[in-house]
């Protein structure tokens, strides 16, 4: 009788972000974060994404769920967990991203 192991969890990540519309807003947000402000607080104040109300949390997702520029940062094994990355420019604006967890990469 053959027995099979459970399949791997697969490639997934959980991340938070702050989305703003201009390089000037990026500078303001980076200054706030560099000054020790809480990421979730800054996200709720500045982010134009509905996720800002949840502190910027995007939950858990697989590659292909987000736009390409976003995915390439999130799923890059060289992107450090827990560090603010960006700005990453997409068609939506400028993202400052924190990858909280990544599996399968």
């Amino acid at each position: 009788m053959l027995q099979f192991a459970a399949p791997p969890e697969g490639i997934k990540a959980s991340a938070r972000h702050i989305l703003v519309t201009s390089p000037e807003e990026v500078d303001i947000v980076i200054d706030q974060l560099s000054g020790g402000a809480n990421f979730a607080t800054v996200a709720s104040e500045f982010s134009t994404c509905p996720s800002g109300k949840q502190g910027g949390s995007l939950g858990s997702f697989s590659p292909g769920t987000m736009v390409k520029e976003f995915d390439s940062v999130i799923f890059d094994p060289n992107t450090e967990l827990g560090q603010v990355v960006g700005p990453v420019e997409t068609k939506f604006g400028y993202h400052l991203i924190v990858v909280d967890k990544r599996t399968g990469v």
Side-chain angles (χ1 to χ4, degrees):
M1 175 179 223
L2 293 173
Q3 291 189 349
F4 297 96
E9 184 176 345
I11 301 173
K12 285 192 163 259
S14 58
R16 298 171 281 152
H17 79 139
I18 299 171
L19 174 63
V20 295
T21 57
S22 72
E24 294 77 25
E25 289 175 298
V26 168
D27 292 341
I28 293 168
V29 169
I30 288 174
D31 286 347
Q32 296 263 328
L33 295 173
S34 296
N38 178 277
F39 191 93
T41 302
V42 176
S44 66
E45 185 176 342
F46 289 96
S47 187
T48 60
C49 181
S51 69
K53 293 184 175 99
Q54 289 81 41
S57 177
L58 297 167
S60 181
F61 52 90
S62 300
T65 306
M66 306 295 175
V67 292
K68 183 181 174 202
E69 302 89 345
F70 201 89
D71 265 7
S72 63
V73 171
I74 299 288
F75 294 102
D76 181 344
N78 296 315
T79 298
E80 289 186 49
L81 299 180
Q83 298 299 311
V84 177
V85 179
V88 175
E89 187 175 2
T90 70
K91 65 183 179 181
F92 300 106
Y94 300 88
H95 306 259
L96 293 165
I97 304 166
V98 175
V99 180
D100 293 314
K101 182 179 177 185
R102 187 173 46 231
T103 59
V105 178

